[in-house]
Amino acid sequence: MNIPSNLKYTKDHEWVSLEGDIATVGITDFAQKELGDIVYVEVETLDQTLEKDEVFGTVEAVKTVSDLFLPLSGEIIEFNEELEASPESVNTDPYGAGWMVKVKVSNPSDFDNLLSSDAYKDLIGA
């Protein structure tokens, strides 16, 4: 299982990278494997400011639909539009081409409170 040490994680299986005050968010390798083949990613919160843990979208797999929870408070400034044509990128490259949104972070301390890769490994039993 791929759990990059340079990222932070949530208990809801999202990953976060932070550059300045812009966070990139996606779902983890573990989450995409649990969901199975992803057929659709929906984000209707573009240009909205949300609080940490609010739903920012959904991911639809063959088996189920799951909410996506924002790991940090801020404004959704970009959606990975490539996912509209190729949602399977979440399965094949969850930490690269499968990223979902970029967020202008309003509370940088939210990032510090996320799980390290080791803590996330403990959470999922990896």
Side-chain angles (χ1 to χ4, degrees), residues 20-107:
D21 64 350
I22 306 297
T24 303
V25 179
I27 65 169
T28 64
D29 190 31
F30 174 83
Q32 68 82 17
K33 284 180 180 166
E34 290 291 304
L35 288 167
D37 292 337
I38 293 172
V39 295
Y40 190 66
V41 177
E42 181 176 50
V43 173
E44 294 184 348
T45 52
L46 190 62
D47 300 324
Q48 293 182 26
T49 299
L50 302 176
E51 294 299 314
K52 178 182 181 304
D53 298 327
E54 280 193 80
V55 174
F56 73 85
T58 57
V59 61
E60 183 177 339
V62 174
K63 298 189 261 184
T64 187
V65 175
S66 293
D67 286 335
L68 298 165
F69 299 96
L70 197 63
L72 330 104
S73 299
E75 180 185 357
I76 309 285
I77 60 170
E78 188 176 347
F79 168 62
N80 182 357
E81 294 180 4
E82 297 296 318
L83 297 180
E84 291 179 351
S86 303
E88 67 277 2
S89 296
V90 176
N91 293 114
T92 58
D93 189 11
Y95 302 112
W99 67 273
M100 295 183 173
V101 294
K102 292 191 187 273
V103 181
K104 184 169 181 20
V105 178
S106 58
N107 186 0

Side-chain angles (χ1 to χ4, degrees), residues 101-116:
V101 294
K102 292 191 187 273
V103 181
K104 184 169 181 20
V105 178
S106 58
N107 186 0
S109 67
D110 287 346
F111 186 75
D112 298 331
N113 296 325
L114 297 172
L115 300 172
S116 67

